[in-house]
Amino acid sequence: MRRLLPFLFLLALAAPALAEPRHGIAMHGHPALPANYQHFPYVKPDVKKGGSVRYGVVGTFDSLNPFILKSMRTTARGVWDPQFGHLLYEPLMQRSADEPFSLYGLLAQTVEMDEERTFIQFNLNPAAKWSDGMPVTPEDVIFTFELLRDKGRTPFSNRLTPVARMDKVGERSVKFTFNEKSDREFPLILATATPILPKHAVDPDTFDQSSLQIPVGSGPYTVKSLRPGERITFERNPDYWGKDVPAKVGFDNYDQISVEYFLQENTLFEAFKKGVVDIYPEGSPVHWARAYDFPDVQNGAVIKDAFQPELPTGMLGFVFNTRRPMFENRDVREGLALAFDFEWANRNLFEGAYTRTESFWQNSALSALGTVANARELAILGDTKADLDPSVLDGSYRLPQTDASGGDRNVLRRVVDLLKEGGYTIQNGKMASQSGNPLRFEIMTQNQDQEKLAIAYQRTLRMIGVEVDIRTVDDAQYQSRSGTFDYDVIVKSYPSSLSPGIEQVGRWGSVSRDREGSNNFAGVADASIDRAIEAMLGARDREDFEAAVRAYDRLLISGHYLVPLYHVAEQWVARRSYIGYPDATPLYGYQLPVWFDKRAQD
């Protein structure tokens, strides 16, 4: 035995340390809040619960099951909608809106995960129960993931793809062991992006059928009543198990929540004006500036609020489909991108409310703007750095500002030079290739606002002989054509977060270029971009992660895959004066689930 002791000691040193239960996890580093935290910093912890709120959405519904293919077009908002909070169903962990990507215990009281993230184990809260009083069990968790794999819609049906094994551990734990298809973000996606369903109250044989049967959930609300396609009313469950869980303190403050459905945005706004709806998030600067002149604004019954999140801007733009031969050349794409006169459009169409977007992660530490590429970034870029614009590498890159005339000669001269480098010159007043083929393309739009932008762009390009056709199509045709990449140019938005992850593969990765239905609208297949995404997904600490995203941002900027448009730095919301919210605004901006009815505070 004595001879074995040194061997056993060395074996113990070599063996990986056992994962310890922890109250939360973060994508990089550790969660900001300690194990004994009492509540999130952006809630009002002592708020008096009561009163009601009426939300409004554009759409309809014919099912209370939003997890199946048949419900993709008609989803019952609130059944599973993080914007309003997890009213009926809950995930294993709760995300904090005040950190880039950190999760804290909810249905899972604690979590265990090794440093390599080869597995994650969720230890369920012994107090967790369903609205019918039955306990939440490991069997429920396993049942949920298997059911959604077999009968759910994407992305729920793909959750188990990176999972090699799923095992019950002890009386109240579930362990997921991952395969080679997993990445470091996946354990967090598993924890927060899937609703847990009650095995005893769900019939697998009929799960994929549309149904208006009132569901059993673990969340703070139950369905009180519904009018199919028009309204769902939720009421607080007085026996909600999780009201004292720190991640839920200050949330779910109304006794009653109703979600009203409208067929058009204009109808929804008119309902807000009449007091049928209590909260109206605003997305149009022109509408924000001009439409709020009705009596309830003037007498204080409706209040306009502007919130300042600390989020990257994301990117909105006219996207070039590089699958088309005319857009294969980067100089051509850059020239066409420079031709858009943002200053003219901002002044004449948008009341000067917008700021030009020049980076996919503008206004954050993840942006390449204003930052010189460091050694970590250069290592990721490799030999590709020689092909990048020096201004993109040193952080000084900016789009040119025009004189707002719609035809700035200095800018257009640069556009013509770039198009010449790409093989196009002006011949008899038309921009054409050496073989005489005109540079002509179509912009597909889906609404009047996009059409106005396209007309402004069309007008400027016509000055240098580039012909642009504009086709506005209905939603069904737009979805069909965009899903099959049947367009020359399309208007698309690329939302950005402080924790970009696997979704970037679907947007810009080579594997998604020819996969119909993917979000690779530009048709990009570039090994250097793939390498940057891989570095981003594999980063262990915040410094490596930020370097990887900045390198990635430099590659996307330099590729000129779209015409960058604009963003608004604020979040705009109009509300009835009796709806209140906490003083603190978190990193991600306003959070409706922590708002409350001020009438209940009296």
Side-chain angles (χ1 to χ4, degrees):
M1 182 64 183
R2 290 181 179 177
R3 292 180 182 178
L4 287 174
L5 288 177
F7 172 76
L8 293 174
F9 176 70
L10 292 174
L11 186 64
L13 289 178
L18 293 175
E20 295 292 333
R22 52 182 110 169
H23 71 293
I25 51 177
M27 181 62 195
H28 301 101
H30 302 283
L33 301 178
N36 63 348
Y37 82 103
Q38 301 299 305
H39 55 80
F40 287 154
Y42 54 89
V43 307
K44 184 176 180 180
D46 57 350
V47 64
K48 292 181 180 178
K49 298 183 184 296
S52 63
V53 66
R54 298 165 298 174
Y55 295 124
V57 298
V58 174
T60 185
F61 72 96
D62 58 9
S63 174
L64 291 180
N65 184 350
F67 312 120
I68 58 175
L69 285 171
K70 293 182 179 179
S71 66
M72 290 186 70
R73 289 180 175 270
T74 58
T75 300
R77 299 281 294 275
V79 175
W80 178 254
D81 193 329
Q83 180 186 5
F84 300 148
H86 299 305
L87 305 183
L88 290 184
Y89 297 113
E90 296 175 308
L92 291 160
M93 304 187 77
Q94 174 94 332
R95 185 169 184 171
S96 169
D98 208 35
E99 301 173 49
F101 198 178
S102 292
L103 309 180
Y104 295 85
L106 185 55
L107 286 177
Q109 186 176 37
T110 60
V111 63
E112 301 173 37
M113 184 171 64
D114 64 335
E115 197 60 35
E116 298 298 321
R117 301 191 179 182
T118 63
F119 77 88
I120 188 169
Q121 179 172 311
F122 299 103
N123 305 316
L124 298 181
N125 192 315
K129 63 180 181 178
W130 302 103
S131 57
D132 61 5
M134 295 288 287
V136 178
T137 66
E139 286 80 6
D140 291 320
V141 177
I142 294 172
F143 167 80
T144 295
F145 281 92
E146 291 179 340
L147 179 64
L148 294 178
R149 175 197 62 196
D150 298 337
K151 296 198 171 185
R153 63 174 175 85
T154 55
F156 305 111
S157 60
N158 298 326
R159 288 283 187 257
L160 289 182
T161 301
V163 175
R165 292 186 58 183
M166 183 168 50
D167 301 297
K168 178 181 177 181
V169 178
E171 292 299 315
R172 57 184 185 92
S173 300
V174 179
K175 181 179 181 180
F176 294 82
T177 303
F178 306 128
N179 58 34
E180 69 281 356
K181 296 181 181 180
S182 181
D183 56 68
R184 295 187 63 80
E185 182 189 34
F186 180 70
L188 282 77
I189 298 297
L190 203 67
T192 191
T194 299
I196 303 304
L197 308 175
K199 182 178 180 180
H200 70 279
V202 175
D203 183 352
D205 293 335
T206 60
F207 181 75
D208 56 356
Q209 305 296 316
S210 295
S211 172
L212 292 172
Q213 180 179 344
I214 303 300
V216 173
S218 66
Y221 291 88
T222 57
V223 174
K224 179 182 180 181
S225 62
L226 60 88
R227 293 176 60 182
E230 298 181 18
R231 179 188 304 117
I232 306 177
T233 302
F234 303 87
E235 64 179 351
R236 183 199 309 285
N237 179 3
D239 299 320
Y240 173 52
W241 73 272
K243 59 181 179 296
D244 296 322
V245 171
K248 294 294 282 182
V249 171
F251 285 72
D252 315 314
N253 298 318
Y254 306 103
D255 283 344
Q256 182 169 291
I257 296 174
S258 65
V259 181
E260 303 276 346
Y261 290 77
F262 300 88
L263 295 180
Q264 297 179 339
E265 191 68 37
N266 289 341
T267 310
L268 169 54
F269 184 68
E270 289 301 315
F272 173 71
K273 289 169 61 175
K274 295 175 181 177
V276 176
V277 171
D278 293 324
I279 297 172
Y280 187 82
E282 180 61 75
S284 166
V286 174
H287 199 256
W288 186 246
R290 299 179 180 176
Y292 292 82
D293 57 354
F294 51 93
D296 279 358
V297 175
Q298 297 162 0
N299 64 29
V302 166
I303 298 174
K304 298 170 66 180
D305 290 311
F307 298 91
Q308 296 279 351
E310 299 178 49
L311 290 174
T313 58
M315 178 65 76
L316 172 70
F318 291 107
V319 182
F320 301 120
N321 186 355
T322 63
R323 303 173 186 85
R324 300 287 203 253
M326 71 193 81
F327 299 130
E328 289 178 349
N329 185 279
R330 185 172 65 178
D331 291 326
V332 171
R333 298 196 301 269
E334 181 179 2
L336 293 175
L338 293 183
F340 179 73
D341 194 331
F342 163 75
E343 283 71 26
W344 183 92
N346 197 34
R347 175 187 296 178
N348 291 279
L349 301 179
F350 304 120
E351 307 279 340
Y354 284 124
T355 299
R356 190 75 188 268
T357 307
E358 298 168 293
S359 158
F360 287 75
W361 283 273
Q362 198 162 327
N363 295 346
S364 78
L366 303 179
S367 174
L369 298 184
T371 304
V372 179
N374 61 26
R376 297 182 185 187
E377 294 178 60
L378 295 176
I380 294 170
L381 293 170
D383 295 340
T384 307
K385 62 180 177 288
D387 296 329
L388 302 187
D389 186 328
S391 69
V392 176
L393 283 176
D394 67 21
S396 62
Y397 170 81
R398 291 294 185 277
L399 289 166
Q401 289 191 353
T402 73
D403 58 11
S405 66
D408 187 303
R409 292 191 176 187
N410 292 327
V411 174
L412 290 181
R413 190 176 298 115
R414 174 61 177 154
V415 172
V416 171
D417 289 343
L418 283 165
L419 293 179
K420 184 177 182 180
E421 292 176 27
Y424 289 91
T425 56
I426 298 177
Q427 304 171 27
N428 300 320
K430 300 292 183 181
M431 188 68 68
S433 67
Q434 292 181 351
S435 60
N437 292 324
L439 180 54
R440 181 171 189 164
F441 57 88
E442 178 186 272
I443 301 176
M444 184 173 70
T445 60
Q446 65 179 144
N447 56 49
Q448 188 175 23
D449 288 341
Q450 291 183 3
E451 189 176 288
K452 287 180 181 178
L453 276 175
I455 291 172
Y457 190 30
Q458 177 191 54
R459 173 179 171 272
T460 301
L461 286 174
R462 188 173 289 158
M463 295 178 184
I464 56 171
V466 178
E467 288 297 319
V468 176
D469 300 315
I470 300 170
R471 177 173 296 186
T472 300
V473 299
D474 60 32
D475 287 345
Q477 188 175 357
Y478 186 88
Q479 295 301 326
S480 174
R481 290 184 59 183
S482 61
T484 56
F485 313 124
D486 180 21
Y487 52 83
D488 296 333
V489 176
I490 194 172
V491 182
K492 280 295 176 181
S493 174
Y494 297 86
S496 294
S497 74
L498 293 168
S499 58
I502 194 65
E503 78 284 348
Q504 300 300 318
V505 176
R507 294 179 183 180
W508 302 100
S510 296
V511 296
S512 63
R513 181 187 187 275
D514 298 319
R515 191 174 68 213
E516 290 191 359
S518 80
N519 292 324
N520 194 336
F521 299 109
V524 173
D526 187 306
S528 59
I529 287 179
D530 294 337
R531 189 167 58 249
I533 294 175
E534 184 177 351
M536 178 184 68
L537 295 177
R540 298 293 189 89
D541 57 43
R542 193 69 193 173
E543 290 75 15
D544 283 344
F545 177 72
E546 291 182 354
V549 180
R550 284 196 299 269
Y552 180 39
D553 194 31
R554 296 183 205 277
L555 290 169
L556 294 180
I557 292 171
S558 299
H560 302 289
Y561 299 112
L562 48 74
V563 181
L565 293 178
Y566 46 71
H567 65 272
V568 175
E570 297 178 326
Q571 295 173 335
W572 297 322
V573 185
R575 60 181 168 91
R576 291 278 148 188
S577 60
Y578 49 76
I579 299 296
Y581 52 82
D583 295 333
T585 300
L587 198 66
Y588 279 83
Y590 73 92
Q591 301 293 306
L592 293 180
V594 303
W595 288 23
F596 51 86
D597 190 332
K598 293 196 291 187
R599 296 168 297 188
Q601 311 304 301
D602 300 331

